[in-house]
Amino acid sequence: MKQFLELALDTAKHEGATYADIRIIDDKSEDIAVKNGKIGRINCSNSLGFGVRVIKDGAWGFASSSTLTKEEIQRVATLAARIAKASATLSKKPVELVPEPAHTDKWTSNYIIDPFTVPLEEKLDLLFKIDSILRKDKKIVVAEGHMSFWREHQFFASTDGSVIEQTILRSGAGYQAQARDGSELQTRSYPMMGGQYMQLGYELIPALRLLENAERVREEAIALLTAPQCPEGKLDLILEGSQLALQIHESLGHPSELDRVLGMEANYAGTSFLTTEKLGKFKYGSDIVNIVADGTVPNGLATVGYDDDGVRAQRWFLVKDGIFSGYLTNRELAGTIGEERSRGANRADGYSSLPMIRMTNISLLPGNVPYDDIIADTEDGIVMATTKSWSIDQRRLNFQFGCEIGYLVKHGKITGIVKNPTYQGITPEFWNSCDAIADEKSWVLWGVPNCGKGQPGQRAEMSHGASAARFRKVTVGVAR
Amino acid sequence: MGEHHKRKYIQNLAPLIEKIWKEEEEKERAFSREHIEGIVRKVLDDAKGDQAELLIHGGESALTRFANNIIHQNVSDRGLAISVRVDVGKRQGRFSTNILTEEGLRFALDKAYELAKSSPENPDWLPVLQPQEYRELNNFFQKTADLSPEERAEIVKRHIERCKEKELSSAGILSNDENIIAVANTSGLFAYHRGTQAKFSATTSNGNTSGWAEDVSPDVEKLNFDEVSARSIEKAILNQKPREINAGEYTVILEHSAVPEIFIYMAWMAFGARAVIEGTSFLRDKVGKKVFDERITITDDVYHPLSLGVPFDYEGHPTAKANLIENGVVKGFVHDRLTAKEFGTESTGHALPQPNPYGPIPRNLVISAGDSTLDEMIKTTERGILVTHFHYTNIIDPMRMIVTGMTRDGTFLVEDGKIAYPVKNLRFTQSMIDALNNVVSISRDQKTVSAFFGGSMVVPAMKINNFRFTSTTDF
Ligand SMILES: [Zn+2]
């Protein structure tokens, strides 16, 4: 392996690169699904490939290939240099990377049971059992359960002297029941929309208590068919953890990506309202809002030893006591806001993608109120749970979310459920209306396995820790 | 690396440089029908089990990305991957890999066989399809495949020079892809398609707000770079200091690029026969009934001159033109072989790799043209909103087809038949069933455009009454 790494760097240097790195990645995955009592899919895969990134004449070039031979490494490294040269014809300022110590290290994520050693029969057996519980009532027209596991094994080497080997194992599972009566269609998912994913082995699966919750999920889906519509107006809104996780993702995670702020995503994903003069000054949320970015948190989907710039993973505040306090950065852009070191948030979707700024794990720190006390303290409110739909403008201000289920709260008590709950707001107004955050007892690290960004599109995964929180006087019931 | 090695290495570079010049020739071989058929035959001959089905996909994709008037990303990827399904009786297993060495292929076959053996029987199992005849569909253009990073940089430079002249800043992409797809099975079926696609997209900013334009074509020579450049610049200039207007119901004039968001969620959630069988499609009991304005006709037609696509599906079944909505009346759905069997009809050739939980989906929607033009739509509007395109749309309620999303990159108030002034972006929350019953006019010309979350379709521009905007934003 070492000779491949060296050959790439030497070829690039010979072609005039002032910086080069190579990532060689082998991947392995297993993805199974059961739908309505039948196999939905059984698909396993592996892949191997490498990508070479160079700076030449002050500009980036990148090329990749799935054929790992010496000749191909030379071809690709040379092509990357040629592409950099073409890019350089249209650049203003040479790319400069902020310094990072050279690391020689080996890093592996934590897990107990290797999911690839667990027999397929055992996995299918659990999914079929869940399926039969969900479909016990004829009103359930679609029951779908799935499990997936993937392992990434990556070698990274750079002309700055780093040689890093990392192995990351991620697992996830979940299910959904759709109930229909006439033209009424309602959905409940567990543990969250699309399932819960963590950087763990097969031990995650029993820990999710999938089977134990199936009956409740079925009954809630059916109950929603006859539930009243979510009221329209302004109500105190309590978001449970998995919905709050997506709220953090969309309204703080993406806008604090420094490449978005600097306009590099303007043509597709968009830009950001968190412009650089706001750093350290802007009142993003109320005083109790503390949000950390953390590449080191155990079992987070984005937890790594090092990012794809070879920068050691870190933990820092994005929002401290309500003030916007930090960006997600990489080695190329950290210098543009006067920072001396990258935060280590540069990641690529596999060997064939160019690394770019991606969210690491971003979490709302728990508050000090038990969840039940928040409910007891709410006069006229609604709890919304489990994401159903999400949309936000390209500067990340106007958002609108739909959830699977709403629970009305009157005089400190949950009085009933409502269907089709939606809420809408403007990011800073919303976070400044946060007046209660539940304590660590309801805090969970929720996984987002499919965050899209970039052109060509790249997928990344990250986790968001959150307990429940309350927001005062939010517009609800937009979709009538 | 020692000094001696380094010298030796430099000597070795001369043939390497020559090799790069030859690389087009090599790619030609690797992507050719003969080479792909060779891989296929070898894999299928070695497959254990009772029957096997093979998909090959890949190609070469290159993309130049610019922002703030500079090229900041420039990438190229080449490769092929296979996915093989092996059936043992009615048990099925699938393994996918991009490791196409002898060893890699054998590993994939063994794994698929093992997976099949540990799977339960699939009650929906079907024998693999017999060899088929395919209609010719030529969307491969050598010039598109060959567009080099230097040529891409030249084109981008031309656009950026124009932006600089007007003191504007632009971000966007210029990409050229060559896509190979092949389906084969142990009954001797072999389907192969090679197509190209070029795309130019530009968001041009005046410092505060922006204008956007895009064009896509299989033939890079038909891609209208100058028009995209001019349109994004013109919109950026028009979209200065947008004023805030109240949310509420407005007549909207949707430019071509805004129209796919009306149809894309229907494509995914309503036009496929699986959703009809499961009862989650809002059209499940509407065949023969009028659901939209009579000027709405929707087909799935990969053979339309503006469509991008492949003339067969992932079962190797030829893709037919499917009539979905005709003059507002529901005509039918797209099928794979399994849903066709359940319906007692023929597959339309819209399968995904089997087995899968989704069922068939349309991939090349064509929305029929009308008799108006964008200019006429504006001229005949007393008060309305002109939308360039939409951002981040999502489905809220699949039964009522309620979709939400934001306007983007040029939203204008039209008053007394003229564009009056730019307005700040708005969020819509609208039932698309209602929208398609409130159609005022449809344009004569159609364009190939892509939806925000992917998928392309052929659409006209549309004017619609009582379109519901529900909130505003700060820009
Ligand atoms: Zn995301």
Side-chain angles (χ1 to χ4, degrees):
Chain A
M1 200 52 74
K2 210 167 172 204
Q3 50 177 352
F4 286 137
L5 299 173
E6 276 176 3
L7 179 61
L9 301 182
D10 288 336
T11 306
K13 274 195 278 191
H14 182 268
E15 291 295 312
T18 51
Y19 170 88
D21 62 37
I22 174 170
R23 290 174 300 120
I24 303 177
I25 302 178
D26 72 272
D27 267 348
K28 177 172 167 178
S29 76
E30 182 176 320
D31 185 16
I32 59 179
V34 165
K35 186 181 184 188
N36 287 352
K38 295 170 187 170
I39 299 283
R41 67 176 164 264
I42 298 175
N43 193 7
C44 294
S45 74
N46 63 8
S47 83
L48 174 69
F50 66 95
V52 177
R53 188 171 67 142
V54 307
I55 300 176
K56 185 189 170 182
D57 299 345
W60 284 115
F62 176 80
S64 63
S65 170
S66 57
T67 309
L68 189 60
T69 61
K70 284 186 178 173
E71 294 72 31
E72 186 70 353
I73 283 189
Q74 287 179 318
R75 181 188 77 84
V76 167
T78 309
L79 177 61
R82 185 177 148 201
I83 289 175
K85 201 176 164 207
S87 308
T89 61
L90 207 59
S91 66
K92 261 184 235 157
K93 225 171 67 187
V95 173
E96 265 178 68
L97 304 181
V98 293
E100 175 69 16
H103 303 283
T104 302
D105 202 355
K106 201 170 165 170
W107 187 91
T108 303
S109 69
N110 294 319
Y111 65 91
I112 301 168
I113 304 166
D114 179 352
F116 298 100
T117 65
V118 177
L120 179 64
E121 290 89 335
E122 188 180 327
K123 296 164 183 162
L124 286 172
D125 184 55
L126 175 59
L127 292 177
F128 276 110
K129 273 190 183 134
I130 293 165
D131 182 86
S132 71
I133 296 174
L134 294 178
R135 289 189 305 121
K136 244 180 205 136
D137 193 305
K138 286 248 168 341
K139 289 200 184 79
I140 301 296
V141 291
V142 177
E144 192 179 345
H146 65 92
M147 267 183 216
S148 37
F149 308 96
W150 74 106
R151 175 161 50 204
E152 227 178 316
H153 179 208
Q154 168 169 323
F155 291 90
F156 170 93
S158 75
T159 51
D160 284 357
S162 284
V163 182
I164 299 162
E165 181 182 352
Q166 299 195 92
T167 307
I168 298 171
L169 178 68
R170 301 179 177 107
S171 301
Y175 55 83
Q176 187 191 65
Q178 284 182 280
R180 185 172 68 81
D181 189 4
S183 59
E184 189 65 64
L185 183 70
Q186 291 293 334
T187 302
R188 280 299 276 145
S189 307
Y190 182 82
M192 65 187 289
M193 177 195 64
Q196 164 71 321
Y197 290 76
M198 293 185 98
Q199 202 176 70
L200 277 170
Y202 198 77
E203 64 277 9
L204 172 68
I205 306 302
L208 291 176
R209 301 178 63 79
L210 296 168
L211 206 52
E212 293 84 338
N213 282 280
E215 196 174 314
R216 176 184 60 80
V217 165
R218 177 191 71 214
E219 292 309 311
E220 281 181 355
I222 292 166
L224 281 169
L225 291 173
T226 50
Q229 179 75 13
C230 173
E232 270 184 71
K234 294 220 180 232
L235 284 182
D236 289 346
L237 172 66
I238 298 161
L239 293 181
E240 61 70 57
S242 79
Q243 172 56 30
L244 193 49
L246 192 70
Q247 179 79 49
I248 296 164
H249 180 97
E250 301 289 12
S251 65
L252 180 66
H254 281 302
S256 58
E257 294 162 352
L258 188 56
D259 57 345
R260 278 187 77 120
V261 176
L262 299 176
M264 286 165 151
E265 293 289 325
N267 188 52
Y268 182 62
T271 58
S272 172
F273 75 98
L274 287 172
T275 40
T276 50
E277 80 287 351
K278 293 195 173 79
L279 184 62
K281 300 186 188 97
F282 182 68
K283 191 84 169 47
Y284 178 88
S286 62
D287 295 348
I288 59 169
V289 175
N290 285 288
I291 301 178
V292 293
D294 190 352
T296 69
V297 61
N299 314 122
L301 287 178
T303 301
V304 288
Y306 304 84
D307 74 353
D308 292 337
D309 269 344
V311 175
R312 185 110 180 108
Q314 296 156 47
R315 180 183 190 271
W316 71 104
F317 278 90
L318 295 185
V319 175
K320 178 103 176 72
D321 303 327
I323 303 294
F324 174 59
S325 304
Y327 283 111
L328 298 156
T329 65
N330 61 11
R331 288 187 67 188
E332 181 184 357
L333 298 178
T336 62
I337 51 165
E339 293 190 358
E340 280 162 16
R341 191 185 178 198
S342 161
R343 298 291 193 177
N346 217 33
R347 291 193 293 149
D349 178 5
Y351 68 85
S352 63
S353 298
L354 184 66
M356 60 176 159
I357 293 180
R358 297 309 308 246
M359 270 178 243
T360 179
N361 309 294
I362 296 175
S363 303
L364 175 68
L365 297 185
N368 47 22
V369 202
Y371 176 69
D372 291 343
D373 290 8
I374 297 181
I375 302 285
D377 176 51
T378 302
E379 247 332 273
D380 188 14
I382 182 169
V383 181
M384 291 193 198
T386 319
T387 313
K388 197 168 165 189
S389 86
W390 58 100
S391 173
I392 186 162
D393 75 39
Q394 87 265 25
R395 290 188 192 169
R396 303 268 149 181
L397 283 166
N398 178 321
F399 61 80
Q400 183 167 304
F401 289 99
C403 290
E404 289 180 356
I405 191 165
Y407 304 88
L408 292 179
V409 182
K410 295 266 185 245
H411 314 303
K413 287 204 168 62
I414 287 177
T415 56
I417 62 168
V418 292
K419 68 181 180 186
N420 308 330
T422 50
Y423 67 99
Q424 186 272 328
I426 297 287
T427 297
E429 284 170 22
F430 180 78
W431 281 101
N432 274 287
S433 77
C434 178
D435 77 338
I437 299 172
D439 62 21
E440 70 287 347
K441 278 188 221 91
S442 63
W443 196 91
V444 173
L445 205 50
W446 297 99
V448 174
N450 55 356
C451 171
K453 184 180 175 183
Q455 289 178 297
Q458 295 190 33
R459 188 191 77 144
E461 53 293 291
M462 62 287 295
S463 295
H464 302 291
S467 50
R470 182 176 61 196
F471 302 83
R472 290 290 194 188
K473 301 277 166 278
V474 178
T475 302
V476 302
V478 204
R480 49 161 203 246
Chain B
M1 197 185 249
E3 198 46 44
H4 167 72
H5 282 95
K6 208 171 245 167
R7 260 207 316 278
K8 201 170 142 211
Y9 170 62
I10 291 167
Q11 281 165 12
N12 285 342
L13 265 180
L16 170 67
I17 290 163
E18 205 167 293
K19 193 167 174 253
I20 286 168
W21 297 118
K22 278 192 188 159
E23 108 195 9
E24 292 306 319
E25 247 170 73
E26 272 176 34
K27 185 178 83 180
E28 228 22 70
R29 263 201 303 283
F31 291 169
S32 68
R33 175 184 279 269
E34 293 67 34
H35 179 242
I36 300 282
E37 204 167 359
I39 301 177
V40 163
R41 207 167 285 134
K42 175 152 189 11
V43 175
L44 290 175
D45 282 352
D46 289 353
K48 293 180 211 161
D50 301 315
Q51 62 173 23
E53 191 176 86
L54 186 74
L55 315 172
I56 295 194
H57 59 93
E60 181 161 31
S61 57
L63 184 144
T64 295
R65 206 171 179 210
F66 55 99
N68 303 317
N69 286 350
I70 64 162
I71 291 177
H72 68 110
Q73 280 175 25
N74 210 339
V75 298
S76 159
D77 181 49
R78 175 191 296 184
L80 290 171
I82 72 154
S83 180
V84 59
R85 195 191 79 216
V86 170
D87 295 1
V88 180
K90 291 184 174 179
R91 301 164 193 273
Q92 304 178 304
R94 179 181 293 281
F95 195 87
S96 309
T97 187
N98 74 343
I99 307 170
L100 303 189
T101 58
E102 230 175 284
E103 223 183 335
L105 292 172
R106 184 163 313 277
F107 182 80
L109 282 170
D110 287 349
K111 279 286 177 189
Y113 178 70
E114 274 171 36
L115 285 166
K117 281 204 302 181
S118 25
S119 303
E121 285 197 349
N122 179 357
D124 292 336
W125 179 90
L126 289 173
V128 293
L129 192 62
Q130 293 300 311
Q132 303 286 312
E133 296 281 334
Y134 303 104
R135 211 173 130 179
E136 203 182 298
L137 179 60
N138 180 24
N139 49 25
F140 177 83
F141 293 85
Q142 196 64 49
K143 280 256 165 62
T144 308
D146 291 346
L147 194 71
S148 70
E150 292 82 3
E151 289 169 301
R152 291 198 305 272
E154 265 315 303
I155 295 165
V156 168
K157 212 168 167 177
R158 221 161 66 211
H159 166 61
I160 286 177
E161 289 306 327
R162 287 188 196 126
C163 293
K164 283 182 180 165
E165 272 169 35
K166 308 261 185 212
E167 290 178 354
L168 300 168
S169 169
S170 199
I173 57 146
L174 172 52
S175 66
N176 56 310
D177 297 336
E178 177 177 357
N179 302 306
I180 309 293
I181 181 155
V183 182
N185 65 38
T186 42
S187 280
L189 177 144
F190 179 70
Y192 166 94
H193 186 75
R194 184 177 189 181
T196 51
Q197 189 178 316
K199 193 178 199 175
F200 182 50
S201 173
T203 302
T204 300
S205 158
N206 56 38
N208 184 34
T209 46
S210 49
W212 171 91
E214 179 173 287
D215 194 15
V216 58
S217 170
D219 183 358
V220 72
E221 296 196 300
K222 292 219 178 80
L223 208 59
N224 204 335
F225 299 107
D226 293 334
E227 203 254 342
V228 170
S229 173
R231 208 144 38 95
S232 83
I233 289 172
E234 185 195 316
K235 287 238 155 131
I237 292 169
L238 266 175
N239 190 19
Q240 307 260 21
K241 301 203 177 78
R243 303 185 205 169
E244 188 163 339
I245 57 164
N246 291 331
E249 288 188 3
Y250 288 86
T251 293
V252 285
I253 299 161
L254 304 179
E255 290 193 16
H256 297 80
S257 26
V259 169
E261 309 302 332
I262 296 181
F263 299 97
I264 194 75
Y265 298 96
M266 291 180 198
W268 292 338
M269 304 173 95
F271 289 143
R274 177 59 55 206
V276 176
I277 293 166
E278 285 165 357
T280 58
S281 166
F282 77 96
L283 298 172
R284 72 196 179 283
D285 50 2
K286 302 280 194 299
V287 176
K289 292 187 182 141
K290 185 168 172 293
V291 291
F292 302 142
D293 183 284
E294 68 239 8
R295 286 165 294 172
I296 299 295
T297 291
I298 307 173
T299 60
D300 184 85
D301 184 9
V302 69
Y303 308 102
H304 188 284
L306 291 172
S307 282
L308 308 164
V310 178
F312 51 85
D313 69 6
Y314 288 101
E315 293 179 308
H317 197 286
T319 299
K321 177 178 171 179
N323 294 319
L324 303 168
I325 305 282
E326 200 174 294
N327 302 324
V329 176
V330 182
K331 284 290 164 186
F333 307 101
V334 297
H335 286 280
D336 55 25
R337 290 198 300 146
L338 184 61
T339 63
K341 196 177 150 197
E342 289 171 58
F343 258 72
T345 180
E346 296 278 303
S347 171
T348 56
H350 289 86
L352 294 172
Q354 300 282 22
N356 70 74
Y358 314 107
I361 49 163
R363 292 184 301 265
N364 297 282
L365 284 194
V366 176
I367 314 302
S368 289
D371 55 7
S372 185
T373 65
L374 204 54
D375 279 346
E376 269 171 41
M377 290 179 193
I378 295 170
K379 268 187 202 136
T380 53
T381 301
E382 219 170 282
R383 187 176 157 84
I385 290 175
L386 173 69
V387 178
T388 298
H389 70 150
F390 289 120
H391 173 81
Y392 217 126
T393 59
N394 212 327
I395 181 90
I396 293 182
D397 181 343
M399 280 297 180
R400 291 184 292 159
M401 271 292 141
I402 298 176
V403 177
T404 188
M406 296 292 303
T407 65
R408 181 172 177 176
D409 302 321
T411 309
F412 303 95
L413 188 77
V414 175
E415 262 176 346
D416 305 323
K418 280 192 212 90
I419 293 179
Y421 50 83
V423 296
K424 288 186 180 178
N425 289 299
L426 296 155
R427 170 176 297 286
F428 70 90
T429 306
Q430 169 71 47
S431 158
M432 293 308 169
I433 303 172
D434 292 349
L436 291 176
N437 280 294
N438 289 333
V439 174
V440 181
S441 54
I442 301 172
S443 77
R444 273 194 291 275
D445 63 328
Q446 293 163 302
K447 286 183 184 172
T448 314
V449 286
S450 39
F452 184 76
F453 280 119
S456 71
M457 56 181 89
V458 176
V459 296
M462 292 175 84
K463 180 168 156 182
I464 293 170
N465 273 340
N466 300 98
F467 201 81
R468 189 169 167 249
F469 290 105
T470 48
S471 55
T472 58
T473 191
D474 286 4
F475 60 95

